[in-house]
mmCIF file of all heavy atoms in Angstrom:
data_model
loop_
_atom_site.group_PDB
_atom_site.id
_atom_site.type_symbol
_atom_site.label_atom_id
_atom_site.label_comp_id
_atom_site.label_asym_id
_atom_site.label_seq_id
_atom_site.Cartn_x
_atom_site.Cartn_y
_atom_site.Cartn_z
ATOM 1 N N ARG A 1 145.366 84.091 117.728
ATOM 2 C CA ARG A 1 144.029 83.514 117.890
ATOM 3 C C ARG A 1 143.288 84.352 118.908
ATOM 4 O O ARG A 1 143.719 84.463 120.052
ATOM 5 C CB ARG A 1 144.113 82.068 118.375
ATOM 6 C CG ARG A 1 144.643 81.141 117.327
ATOM 7 C CD ARG A 1 144.621 79.699 117.726
ATOM 8 N NE ARG A 1 144.164 79.458 119.075
ATOM 9 C CZ ARG A 1 144.342 78.318 119.703
ATOM 10 N NH1 ARG A 1 144.963 77.335 119.143
ATOM 11 N NH2 ARG A 1 143.889 78.162 120.934
ATOM 12 N N PRO A 2 142.148 84.942 118.513
ATOM 13 C CA PRO A 2 141.406 85.761 119.482
ATOM 14 C C PRO A 2 140.766 84.890 120.556
ATOM 15 O O PRO A 2 140.475 83.717 120.334
ATOM 16 C CB PRO A 2 140.350 86.451 118.629
ATOM 17 C CG PRO A 2 140.188 85.578 117.436
ATOM 18 C CD PRO A 2 141.521 84.919 117.208
ATOM 19 N N GLY A 3 140.533 85.495 121.702
ATOM 20 C CA GLY A 3 139.904 84.784 122.811
ATOM 21 C C GLY A 3 138.401 84.704 122.625
ATOM 22 O O GLY A 3 137.813 85.260 121.691
ATOM 23 N N MET A 4 137.749 84.016 123.542
ATOM 24 C CA MET A 4 136.315 83.777 123.435
ATOM 25 C C MET A 4 135.512 85.075 123.489
ATOM 26 O O MET A 4 134.558 85.246 122.740
ATOM 27 C CB MET A 4 135.870 82.835 124.561
ATOM 28 C CG MET A 4 134.428 82.410 124.446
ATOM 29 S SD MET A 4 134.034 81.564 122.916
ATOM 30 C CE MET A 4 134.972 80.081 123.076
ATOM 31 N N MET A 5 135.883 86.009 124.347
ATOM 32 C CA MET A 5 135.125 87.258 124.449
ATOM 33 C C MET A 5 135.236 88.082 123.166
ATOM 34 O O MET A 5 134.261 88.699 122.740
ATOM 35 C CB MET A 5 135.600 88.075 125.651
ATOM 36 C CG MET A 5 135.305 87.429 126.986
ATOM 37 S SD MET A 5 133.533 87.198 127.211
ATOM 38 C CE MET A 5 133.460 85.469 127.542
ATOM 39 N N GLU A 6 136.409 88.075 122.539
ATOM 40 C CA GLU A 6 136.549 88.788 121.266
ATOM 41 C C GLU A 6 135.676 88.136 120.192
ATOM 42 O O GLU A 6 135.049 88.829 119.387
ATOM 43 C CB GLU A 6 138.005 88.779 120.818
ATOM 44 C CG GLU A 6 138.927 89.607 121.681
ATOM 45 C CD GLU A 6 140.369 89.452 121.259
ATOM 46 O OE1 GLU A 6 140.690 89.832 120.114
ATOM 47 O OE2 GLU A 6 141.162 88.937 122.068
ATOM 48 N N ARG A 7 135.647 86.814 120.187
ATOM 49 C CA ARG A 7 134.819 86.107 119.206
ATOM 50 C C ARG A 7 133.337 86.406 119.424
ATOM 51 O O ARG A 7 132.594 86.624 118.468
ATOM 52 C CB ARG A 7 135.056 84.611 119.303
ATOM 53 C CG ARG A 7 136.439 84.193 118.872
ATOM 54 C CD ARG A 7 136.615 82.708 119.059
ATOM 55 N NE ARG A 7 137.976 82.315 118.775
ATOM 56 C CZ ARG A 7 138.446 81.094 118.940
ATOM 57 N NH1 ARG A 7 137.638 80.143 119.390
ATOM 58 N NH2 ARG A 7 139.683 80.806 118.675
ATOM 59 N N VAL A 8 132.896 86.405 120.674
ATOM 60 C CA VAL A 8 131.493 86.684 120.977
ATOM 61 C C VAL A 8 131.148 88.119 120.570
ATOM 62 O O VAL A 8 130.079 88.378 120.019
ATOM 63 C CB VAL A 8 131.194 86.423 122.472
ATOM 64 C CG1 VAL A 8 129.838 86.973 122.865
ATOM 65 C CG2 VAL A 8 131.259 84.932 122.763
ATOM 66 N N SER A 9 132.057 89.067 120.816
ATOM 67 C CA SER A 9 131.815 90.460 120.411
ATOM 68 C C SER A 9 131.658 90.561 118.900
ATOM 69 O O SER A 9 130.784 91.286 118.408
ATOM 70 C CB SER A 9 132.970 91.350 120.856
ATOM 71 O OG SER A 9 133.084 91.366 122.234
ATOM 72 N N GLU A 10 132.487 89.844 118.177
ATOM 73 C CA GLU A 10 132.391 89.862 116.714
ATOM 74 C C GLU A 10 131.059 89.270 116.246
ATOM 75 O O GLU A 10 130.408 89.809 115.344
ATOM 76 C CB GLU A 10 133.549 89.068 116.114
ATOM 77 C CG GLU A 10 133.595 89.113 114.609
ATOM 78 C CD GLU A 10 134.779 88.334 114.060
ATOM 79 O OE1 GLU A 10 135.846 88.341 114.684
ATOM 80 O OE2 GLU A 10 134.612 87.725 112.991
ATOM 81 N N ILE A 11 130.632 88.192 116.871
ATOM 82 C CA ILE A 11 129.347 87.572 116.512
ATOM 83 C C ILE A 11 128.198 88.524 116.820
ATOM 84 O O ILE A 11 127.255 88.657 116.030
ATOM 85 C CB ILE A 11 129.181 86.231 117.245
ATOM 86 C CG1 ILE A 11 130.162 85.210 116.703
ATOM 87 C CG2 ILE A 11 127.754 85.713 117.124
ATOM 88 C CD1 ILE A 11 130.250 83.935 117.510
ATOM 89 N N GLU A 12 128.258 89.215 117.959
ATOM 90 C CA GLU A 12 127.202 90.174 118.303
ATOM 91 C C GLU A 12 127.158 91.316 117.295
ATOM 92 O O GLU A 12 126.082 91.781 116.921
ATOM 93 C CB GLU A 12 127.422 90.715 119.710
ATOM 94 C CG GLU A 12 127.088 89.722 120.795
ATOM 95 C CD GLU A 12 127.413 90.240 122.184
ATOM 96 O OE1 GLU A 12 128.140 91.253 122.308
ATOM 97 O OE2 GLU A 12 126.929 89.636 123.146
ATOM 98 N N GLY A 13 128.325 91.784 116.845
ATOM 99 C CA GLY A 13 128.358 92.837 115.830
ATOM 100 C C GLY A 13 127.719 92.386 114.528
ATOM 101 O O GLY A 13 126.948 93.125 113.907
ATOM 102 N N ARG A 14 128.031 91.162 114.116
ATOM 103 C CA ARG A 14 127.409 90.625 112.897
ATOM 104 C C ARG A 14 125.900 90.522 113.066
ATOM 105 O O ARG A 14 125.139 90.842 112.157
ATOM 106 C CB ARG A 14 127.980 89.246 112.591
ATOM 107 C CG ARG A 14 129.384 89.252 112.086
ATOM 108 C CD ARG A 14 129.833 87.839 111.804
ATOM 109 N NE ARG A 14 131.203 87.818 111.352
ATOM 110 C CZ ARG A 14 131.869 86.707 111.121
ATOM 111 N NH1 ARG A 14 131.278 85.536 111.306
ATOM 112 N NH2 ARG A 14 133.115 86.759 110.709
ATOM 113 N N LEU A 15 125.460 90.068 114.228
ATOM 114 C CA LEU A 15 124.031 89.921 114.477
ATOM 115 C C LEU A 15 123.327 91.268 114.434
ATOM 116 O O LEU A 15 122.216 91.382 113.894
ATOM 117 C CB LEU A 15 123.804 89.241 115.831
ATOM 118 C CG LEU A 15 122.363 88.948 116.202
ATOM 119 C CD1 LEU A 15 121.719 88.024 115.178
ATOM 120 C CD2 LEU A 15 122.298 88.323 117.581
ATOM 121 N N LYS A 16 123.955 92.311 114.964
ATOM 122 C CA LYS A 16 123.355 93.650 114.908
ATOM 123 C C LYS A 16 123.208 94.118 113.468
ATOM 124 O O LYS A 16 122.203 94.728 113.109
ATOM 125 C CB LYS A 16 124.195 94.646 115.703
ATOM 126 C CG LYS A 16 124.026 94.505 117.188
ATOM 127 C CD LYS A 16 124.871 95.517 117.936
ATOM 128 C CE LYS A 16 124.755 95.287 119.425
ATOM 129 N NZ LYS A 16 125.623 96.190 120.188
ATOM 130 N N ARG A 17 124.215 93.831 112.633
ATOM 131 C CA ARG A 17 124.115 94.229 111.221
ATOM 132 C C ARG A 17 122.987 93.474 110.517
ATOM 133 O O ARG A 17 122.270 94.058 109.691
ATOM 134 C CB ARG A 17 125.447 93.997 110.520
ATOM 135 C CG ARG A 17 126.527 94.975 110.966
ATOM 136 C CD ARG A 17 127.745 94.938 110.075
ATOM 137 N NE ARG A 17 128.377 93.631 109.994
ATOM 138 C CZ ARG A 17 129.376 93.217 110.761
ATOM 139 N NH1 ARG A 17 129.850 94.017 111.702
ATOM 140 N NH2 ARG A 17 129.900 92.018 110.609
ATOM 141 N N VAL A 18 122.806 92.214 110.844
ATOM 142 C CA VAL A 18 121.720 91.433 110.238
ATOM 143 C C VAL A 18 120.371 91.963 110.717
ATOM 144 O O VAL A 18 119.439 92.150 109.920
ATOM 145 C CB VAL A 18 121.878 89.935 110.564
ATOM 146 C CG1 VAL A 18 120.629 89.158 110.193
ATOM 147 C CG2 VAL A 18 123.084 89.361 109.840
ATOM 148 N N GLU A 19 120.238 92.220 112.015
ATOM 149 C CA GLU A 19 118.975 92.746 112.543
ATOM 150 C C GLU A 19 118.649 94.106 111.939
ATOM 151 O O GLU A 19 117.480 94.426 111.716
ATOM 152 C CB GLU A 19 119.050 92.854 114.062
ATOM 153 C CG GLU A 19 118.931 91.525 114.758
ATOM 154 C CD GLU A 19 119.046 91.648 116.265
ATOM 155 O OE1 GLU A 19 119.504 92.700 116.759
ATOM 156 O OE2 GLU A 19 118.683 90.684 116.945
ATOM 157 N N HIS A 20 119.656 94.902 111.667
ATOM 158 C CA HIS A 20 119.427 96.209 111.047
ATOM 159 C C HIS A 20 118.756 96.045 109.678
ATOM 160 O O HIS A 20 117.918 96.854 109.291
ATOM 161 C CB HIS A 20 120.756 96.958 110.885
ATOM 162 C CG HIS A 20 120.627 98.244 110.152
ATOM 163 N ND1 HIS A 20 120.150 99.388 110.746
ATOM 164 C CD2 HIS A 20 120.894 98.577 108.865
ATOM 165 C CE1 HIS A 20 120.140 100.367 109.865
ATOM 166 N NE2 HIS A 20 120.588 99.900 108.712
ATOM 167 N N GLU A 21 119.103 94.980 108.977
ATOM 168 C CA GLU A 21 118.529 94.757 107.653
ATOM 169 C C GLU A 21 117.136 94.150 107.708
ATOM 170 O O GLU A 21 116.383 94.237 106.740
ATOM 171 C CB GLU A 21 119.447 93.835 106.834
ATOM 172 C CG GLU A 21 120.792 94.432 106.522
ATOM 173 C CD GLU A 21 120.703 95.685 105.679
ATOM 174 O OE1 GLU A 21 119.843 95.733 104.775
ATOM 175 O OE2 GLU A 21 121.481 96.619 105.924
ATOM 176 N N LEU A 22 116.753 93.535 108.801
ATOM 177 C CA LEU A 22 115.484 92.805 108.862
ATOM 178 C C LEU A 22 114.293 93.630 109.316
ATOM 179 O O LEU A 22 113.153 93.203 109.132
ATOM 180 C CB LEU A 22 115.625 91.598 109.792
ATOM 181 C CG LEU A 22 116.566 90.495 109.304
ATOM 182 C CD1 LEU A 22 116.631 89.392 110.332
ATOM 183 C CD2 LEU A 22 116.142 89.957 107.958
ATOM 184 N N TYR A 23 114.515 94.769 109.941
ATOM 185 C CA TYR A 23 113.413 95.557 110.479
ATOM 186 C C TYR A 23 113.422 96.957 109.890
ATOM 187 O O TYR A 23 114.476 97.487 109.560
ATOM 188 C CB TYR A 23 113.508 95.631 112.005
ATOM 189 C CG TYR A 23 113.394 94.277 112.643
ATOM 190 C CD1 TYR A 23 114.513 93.641 113.160
ATOM 191 C CD2 TYR A 23 112.174 93.620 112.698
ATOM 192 C CE1 TYR A 23 114.415 92.385 113.726
ATOM 193 C CE2 TYR A 23 112.066 92.369 113.262
ATOM 194 C CZ TYR A 23 113.186 91.760 113.768
ATOM 195 O OH TYR A 23 113.090 90.504 114.323
ATOM 196 N N PRO A 24 112.240 97.562 109.761
ATOM 197 C CA PRO A 24 112.188 98.930 109.250
ATOM 198 C C PRO A 24 112.933 99.872 110.196
ATOM 199 O O PRO A 24 112.809 99.771 111.407
ATOM 200 C CB PRO A 24 110.698 99.267 109.231
ATOM 201 C CG PRO A 24 109.980 97.993 109.451
ATOM 202 C CD PRO A 24 110.927 97.027 110.068
ATOM 203 N N ASN A 25 113.733 100.751 109.589
ATOM 204 C CA ASN A 25 114.467 101.691 110.439
ATOM 205 C C ASN A 25 114.716 102.986 109.668
ATOM 206 O O ASN A 25 113.774 103.659 109.303
ATOM 207 C CB ASN A 25 115.770 101.068 110.943
ATOM 208 C CG ASN A 25 116.557 100.404 109.846
ATOM 209 O OD1 ASN A 25 116.542 100.866 108.713
ATOM 210 N ND2 ASN A 25 117.211 99.319 110.153
ATOM 211 N N SER A 26 115.920 103.295 109.329
ATOM 212 C CA SER A 26 116.278 104.589 108.760
ATOM 213 C C SER A 26 115.994 104.706 107.262
ATOM 214 O O SER A 26 116.291 105.732 106.672
ATOM 215 C CB SER A 26 117.758 104.841 109.004
ATOM 216 O OG SER A 26 118.525 103.832 108.357
ATOM 217 N N GLY A 27 115.476 103.678 106.656
ATOM 218 C CA GLY A 27 115.227 103.716 105.228
ATOM 219 C C GLY A 27 116.339 103.075 104.417
ATOM 220 O O GLY A 27 116.258 102.988 103.203
ATOM 221 N N SER A 28 117.371 102.606 105.085
ATOM 222 C CA SER A 28 118.495 102.014 104.356
ATOM 223 C C SER A 28 118.579 100.507 104.513
ATOM 224 O O SER A 28 119.515 99.890 104.023
ATOM 225 C CB SER A 28 119.809 102.637 104.850
ATOM 226 O OG SER A 28 120.015 102.328 106.211
ATOM 227 N N SER A 29 117.610 99.893 105.181
ATOM 228 C CA SER A 29 117.675 98.448 105.379
ATOM 229 C C SER A 29 116.992 97.717 104.228
ATOM 230 O O SER A 29 116.244 98.287 103.433
ATOM 231 C CB SER A 29 116.999 98.067 106.698
ATOM 232 O OG SER A 29 115.610 98.251 106.605
ATOM 233 N N LEU A 30 117.271 96.444 104.163
ATOM 234 C CA LEU A 30 116.633 95.599 103.157
ATOM 235 C C LEU A 30 115.119 95.582 103.366
ATOM 236 O O LEU A 30 114.356 95.625 102.397
ATOM 237 C CB LEU A 30 117.210 94.186 103.251
ATOM 238 C CG LEU A 30 116.656 93.150 102.292
ATOM 239 C CD1 LEU A 30 116.982 93.547 100.858
ATOM 240 C CD2 LEU A 30 117.232 91.790 102.608
ATOM 241 N N ARG A 31 114.674 95.550 104.607
ATOM 242 C CA ARG A 31 113.233 95.559 104.888
ATOM 243 C C ARG A 31 112.588 96.840 104.371
ATOM 244 O O ARG A 31 111.485 96.819 103.817
ATOM 245 C CB ARG A 31 113.016 95.415 106.400
ATOM 246 C CG ARG A 31 111.567 95.521 106.842
ATOM 247 C CD ARG A 31 110.725 94.375 106.265
ATOM 248 N NE ARG A 31 109.340 94.545 106.543
ATOM 249 C CZ ARG A 31 108.713 93.995 107.570
ATOM 250 N NH1 ARG A 31 109.363 93.230 108.411
ATOM 251 N NH2 ARG A 31 107.437 94.205 107.747
ATOM 252 N N ASP A 32 113.257 97.982 104.540
ATOM 253 C CA ASP A 32 112.721 99.240 104.025
ATOM 254 C C ASP A 32 112.609 99.210 102.503
ATOM 255 O O ASP A 32 111.628 99.695 101.933
ATOM 256 C CB ASP A 32 113.602 100.413 104.453
ATOM 257 C CG ASP A 32 113.499 100.677 105.940
ATOM 258 O OD1 ASP A 32 112.415 100.468 106.508
ATOM 259 O OD2 ASP A 32 114.513 101.088 106.530
ATOM 260 N N ALA A 33 113.608 98.619 101.848
ATOM 261 C CA ALA A 33 113.574 98.530 100.389
ATOM 262 C C ALA A 33 112.423 97.637 99.919
ATOM 263 O O ALA A 33 111.729 97.965 98.950
ATOM 264 C CB ALA A 33 114.903 98.007 99.862
ATOM 265 N N VAL A 34 112.201 96.538 100.610
ATOM 266 C CA VAL A 34 111.093 95.646 100.243
ATOM 267 C C VAL A 34 109.757 96.339 100.477
ATOM 268 O O VAL A 34 108.850 96.269 99.637
ATOM 269 C CB VAL A 34 111.185 94.321 101.038
ATOM 270 C CG1 VAL A 34 109.917 93.502 100.882
ATOM 271 C CG2 VAL A 34 112.395 93.522 100.602
ATOM 272 N N ASP A 35 109.620 97.038 101.607
ATOM 273 C CA ASP A 35 108.381 97.764 101.883
ATOM 274 C C ASP A 35 108.130 98.840 100.828
ATOM 275 O O ASP A 35 106.995 99.028 100.371
ATOM 276 C CB ASP A 35 108.425 98.384 103.275
ATOM 277 C CG ASP A 35 108.345 97.341 104.374
ATOM 278 O OD1 ASP A 35 107.911 96.204 104.087
ATOM 279 O OD2 ASP A 35 108.717 97.671 105.515
ATOM 280 N N GLN A 36 109.178 99.546 100.429
ATOM 281 C CA GLN A 36 109.028 100.585 99.408
ATOM 282 C C GLN A 36 108.612 99.962 98.070
ATOM 283 O O GLN A 36 107.736 100.487 97.381
ATOM 284 C CB GLN A 36 110.333 101.353 99.243
ATOM 285 C CG GLN A 36 110.243 102.459 98.218
ATOM 286 C CD GLN A 36 111.586 103.152 98.027
ATOM 287 O OE1 GLN A 36 112.625 102.621 98.371
ATOM 288 N NE2 GLN A 36 111.543 104.341 97.451
ATOM 289 N N ALA A 37 109.212 98.820 97.716
ATOM 290 C CA ALA A 37 108.834 98.150 96.472
ATOM 291 C C ALA A 37 107.378 97.690 96.536
ATOM 292 O O ALA A 37 106.642 97.801 95.539
ATOM 293 C CB ALA A 37 109.757 96.963 96.221
ATOM 294 N N ASN A 38 106.940 97.193 97.697
ATOM 295 C CA ASN A 38 105.541 96.772 97.834
ATOM 296 C C ASN A 38 104.586 97.958 97.706
ATOM 297 O O ASN A 38 103.525 97.851 97.075
ATOM 298 C CB ASN A 38 105.329 96.075 99.172
ATOM 299 C CG ASN A 38 105.879 94.675 99.179
ATOM 300 O OD1 ASN A 38 106.091 94.071 98.128
ATOM 301 N ND2 ASN A 38 106.138 94.162 100.372
ATOM 302 N N ARG A 39 104.951 99.096 98.280
ATOM 303 C CA ARG A 39 104.080 100.275 98.164
ATOM 304 C C ARG A 39 103.996 100.739 96.709
ATOM 305 O O ARG A 39 102.916 101.093 96.219
ATOM 306 C CB ARG A 39 104.596 101.405 99.057
ATOM 307 C CG ARG A 39 104.297 101.193 100.527
ATOM 308 C CD ARG A 39 104.566 102.436 101.356
ATOM 309 N NE ARG A 39 105.955 102.874 101.308
ATOM 310 C CZ ARG A 39 106.912 102.458 102.133
ATOM 311 N NH1 ARG A 39 106.624 101.598 103.073
ATOM 312 N NH2 ARG A 39 108.144 102.922 102.025
ATOM 313 N N ARG A 40 105.113 100.733 96.016
ATOM 314 C CA ARG A 40 105.103 101.154 94.604
ATOM 315 C C ARG A 40 104.290 100.184 93.761
ATOM 316 O O ARG A 40 103.571 100.596 92.852
ATOM 317 C CB ARG A 40 106.528 101.271 94.095
ATOM 318 C CG ARG A 40 107.258 102.459 94.666
ATOM 319 C CD ARG A 40 108.655 102.554 94.144
ATOM 320 N NE ARG A 40 109.325 103.728 94.692
ATOM 321 C CZ ARG A 40 110.605 103.984 94.546
ATOM 322 N NH1 ARG A 40 111.362 103.159 93.862
ATOM 323 N NH2 ARG A 40 111.132 105.061 95.073
ATOM 324 N N LEU A 41 104.421 98.887 94.045
ATOM 325 C CA LEU A 41 103.636 97.896 93.312
ATOM 326 C C LEU A 41 102.150 98.093 93.580
ATOM 327 O O LEU A 41 101.331 97.988 92.657
ATOM 328 C CB LEU A 41 104.069 96.484 93.710
ATOM 329 C CG LEU A 41 103.350 95.333 93.016
ATOM 330 C CD1 LEU A 41 103.625 95.370 91.516
ATOM 331 C CD2 LEU A 41 103.783 94.026 93.609
ATOM 332 N N GLU A 42 101.801 98.406 94.810
ATOM 333 C CA GLU A 42 100.410 98.652 95.146
ATOM 334 C C GLU A 42 99.887 99.888 94.413
ATOM 335 O O GLU A 42 98.737 99.919 93.958
ATOM 336 C CB GLU A 42 100.267 98.832 96.659
ATOM 337 C CG GLU A 42 98.828 98.864 97.128
ATOM 338 C CD GLU A 42 98.761 98.918 98.637
ATOM 339 O OE1 GLU A 42 99.542 98.207 99.296
ATOM 340 O OE2 GLU A 42 97.922 99.674 99.145
ATOM 341 N N GLN A 43 100.718 100.907 94.273
ATOM 342 C CA GLN A 43 100.300 102.103 93.525
ATOM 343 C C GLN A 43 100.077 101.763 92.058
ATOM 344 O O GLN A 43 99.140 102.254 91.432
ATOM 345 C CB GLN A 43 101.369 103.192 93.621
ATOM 346 C CG GLN A 43 101.384 103.928 94.925
ATOM 347 C CD GLN A 43 102.484 104.979 94.939
ATOM 348 O OE1 GLN A 43 103.378 104.983 94.091
ATOM 349 N NE2 GLN A 43 102.414 105.870 95.915
ATOM 350 N N LEU A 44 100.923 100.904 91.514
ATOM 351 C CA LEU A 44 100.782 100.548 90.105
ATOM 352 C C LEU A 44 99.569 99.653 89.865
ATOM 353 O O LEU A 44 98.850 99.822 88.891
ATOM 354 C CB LEU A 44 102.047 99.834 89.607
ATOM 355 C CG LEU A 44 103.295 100.687 89.475
ATOM 356 C CD1 LEU A 44 104.482 99.807 89.127
ATOM 357 C CD2 LEU A 44 103.103 101.754 88.411
ATOM 358 N N CYS A 45 99.356 98.702 90.763
ATOM 359 C CA CYS A 45 98.268 97.742 90.573
ATOM 360 C C CYS A 45 96.917 98.297 90.994
ATOM 361 O O CYS A 45 95.904 97.963 90.386
ATOM 362 C CB CYS A 45 98.527 96.476 91.376
ATOM 363 S SG CYS A 45 99.898 95.506 90.785
ATOM 364 N N GLY A 46 96.904 99.068 92.054
ATOM 365 C CA GLY A 46 95.632 99.569 92.565
ATOM 366 C C GLY A 46 94.805 98.434 93.121
ATOM 367 O O GLY A 46 95.315 97.533 93.772
ATOM 368 N N PRO A 47 93.482 98.444 92.849
ATOM 369 C CA PRO A 47 92.614 97.409 93.418
ATOM 370 C C PRO A 47 92.833 96.043 92.787
ATOM 371 O O PRO A 47 92.364 95.036 93.304
ATOM 372 C CB PRO A 47 91.206 97.928 93.121
ATOM 373 C CG PRO A 47 91.358 98.844 91.978
ATOM 374 C CD PRO A 47 92.732 99.441 92.097
#
């Protein structure tokens, strides 16, 4: 059974992975994919 500090470290690691997906960054996050899809949709739709 891991101790409390090990558990907290694991939770912080998970949180960092989630935050990586929520904000624009290197182009590999979920947010980047959504932004790219929105830009492509805007190009297709225009005004």
Side-chain angles (χ1 to χ4, degrees):
R1 290 185 357 195
M4 186 59 66
M5 294 300 125
E6 291 175 63
R7 293 177 186 175
V8 168
S9 297
E10 184 179 324
I11 291 170
E12 286 176 346
R14 288 181 182 175
L15 183 60
K16 284 180 184 176
R17 289 192 301 267
V18 168
E19 284 178 345
H20 175 78
E21 295 298 322
L22 293 179
Y23 298 105
N25 48 34
S26 61
S28 63
S29 70
L30 179 64
R31 175 64 187 265
D32 290 327
V34 169
D35 290 342
Q36 181 183 19
N38 284 340
R39 284 191 299 271
R40 288 180 179 171
L41 181 63
E42 190 175 318
Q43 283 179 346
L44 290 174
C45 292

